[in-house]
């Protein structure tokens, strides 16, 4: 069995359902892969984390996940797969209000400023409650969000924002009603050391796609499998 370590850049969101469903049903093992998941590393340090783990265990294959703009061009890394068909980057703002200042994560500050032409305030990456408080209190006009997961937290009871007063709008150029012209740059990519064996990466992708097919058959079960894996 070839050992594969997946280095997360954030918690296991819905985009990892193919991974966890594939693990649960043996899709990776059937291809000779012993896949483990490592805890998230510091934002922006995904490339360094993957290279450090690869050097520490040369017999394994370390797969990283990060936003496209976090991949350093000079680093000996290669992207070999995508997690989304378009960017999940979006902004939550008060309905009808002008957008001048937006609270963002550190790894997307330049992208948001350029795409929207606004001033940005950098906040802690995982601090959804703080971002919601900034928007609700009027300190900013909008807050960055990952539209596949974070609006659920913002608009949940006690989340700090009201869906009747606030709305989520994509920044991706190809999304209907998008605010910005961002196409590429902020969407999770799979990457590895440039010297990683291609056969192992191909097998990983094939198992991941099988996992997604499994997840699509029963999305409710896929969510339960995902939640159980994160809690383990």
């Amino acid at each position: 069995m070839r050992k594969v370590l997946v280095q997360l850049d954030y918690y296991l969101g819905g985009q990892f359902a193919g991974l966890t469903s594939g693990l649960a049903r043996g899709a990776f093992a059937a291809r000779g892969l012993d896949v483990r998941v490592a805890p998230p590393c510091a934002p922006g340090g995904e490339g360094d984390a993957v290279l450090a783990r690869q050097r520490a265990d040369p017999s394994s294959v370390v797969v990283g996940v990060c936003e496209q703009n976090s991949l350093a061009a000079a680093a000996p890394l290669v992207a070999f797969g995508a997690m989304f068909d378009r960017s999940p980057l979006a902004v939550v703002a008060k309905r009808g209000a002008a957008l001048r200042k937006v609270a963002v994560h550190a790894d997307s500050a330049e992208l948001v400023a350029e795409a929207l032409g606004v001033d940005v305030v950098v906040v802690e990456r995982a601090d959804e409650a703080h971002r919601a408080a900034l928007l609700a209190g009027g300190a900013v006009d909008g807050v960055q969000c990952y539209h596949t997961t974070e609006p659920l937290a913002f608009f949940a009871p006690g989340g700090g924002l009201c869906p009747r007063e606030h709305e989520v709008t994509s920044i991706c150029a190809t999304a209907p009603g998008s605010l910005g012209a961002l196409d590429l740059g902020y969407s999770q990519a799979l990457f590895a050391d440039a010297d990683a064996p291609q056969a192992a990466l191909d097998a990983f992708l094939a198992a991941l796609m099988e996992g997604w097919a499994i997840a699509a058959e029963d999305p409710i079960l896929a969510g339960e499998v995902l939640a159980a894996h994160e809690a383990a």
Side-chain angles (χ1 to χ4, degrees), residues 130-188:
H130 180 53
R131 274 180 285 147
L134 288 174
L135 179 55
V140 295
D141 306 308
V143 296
Q144 171 193 341
C145 77
Y146 220 72
H147 72 59
T148 60
T149 52
E150 292 182 323
L152 296 174
F154 287 135
F155 297 140
L161 300 180
C162 174
R164 294 187 300 274
E165 299 177 7
H166 301 90
E167 61 183 347
V168 180
T169 307
S170 176
I171 300 178
C172 179
T174 58
S178 172
L179 281 173
L182 178 65
D183 188 7
L184 298 175
Y186 192 89
S187 189
Q188 280 183 322

Side-chain angles (χ1 to χ4, degrees), residues 60-155:
S60 68
V61 176
V62 183
V63 171
V65 182
C66 74
E67 310 309 334
Q68 294 163 331
N69 59 305
S70 293
L71 280 174
L77 303 169
V78 59
F80 68 94
M83 300 293 284
F84 294 104
D85 64 348
R86 62 188 177 202
S87 174
L89 186 60
V91 169
V92 182
K94 192 168 184 178
R95 295 182 183 273
L99 200 61
R100 299 184 182 91
K101 184 184 293 186
V102 178
V104 301
H105 301 157
D107 65 354
S108 60
E110 292 184 13
L111 287 172
V112 173
E114 182 177 348
L116 299 181
V118 297
D119 293 329
V120 296
V121 178
V122 175
V123 297
E124 291 298 322
R125 178 171 182 158
D127 198 346
E128 294 162 350
H130 180 53
R131 274 180 285 147
L134 288 174
L135 179 55
V140 295
D141 306 308
V143 296
Q144 171 193 341
C145 77
Y146 220 72
H147 72 59
T148 60
T149 52
E150 292 182 323
L152 296 174
F154 287 135
F155 297 140

Side-chain angles (χ1 to χ4, degrees), residues 20 30 37 45 47 51 53 55-56 67 70 88 97 103 128 146 167 201 206 208-209 214 217-218 222:
T20 53
V37 178
L51 292 175
R53 289 187 181 278
R55 286 193 296 267
E67 310 309 334
S70 293
E128 294 162 350
Y146 220 72
E167 61 183 347
L201 300 182
L208 185 64
M209 292 301 101
I214 293 167
E217 291 175 357
D218 191 339

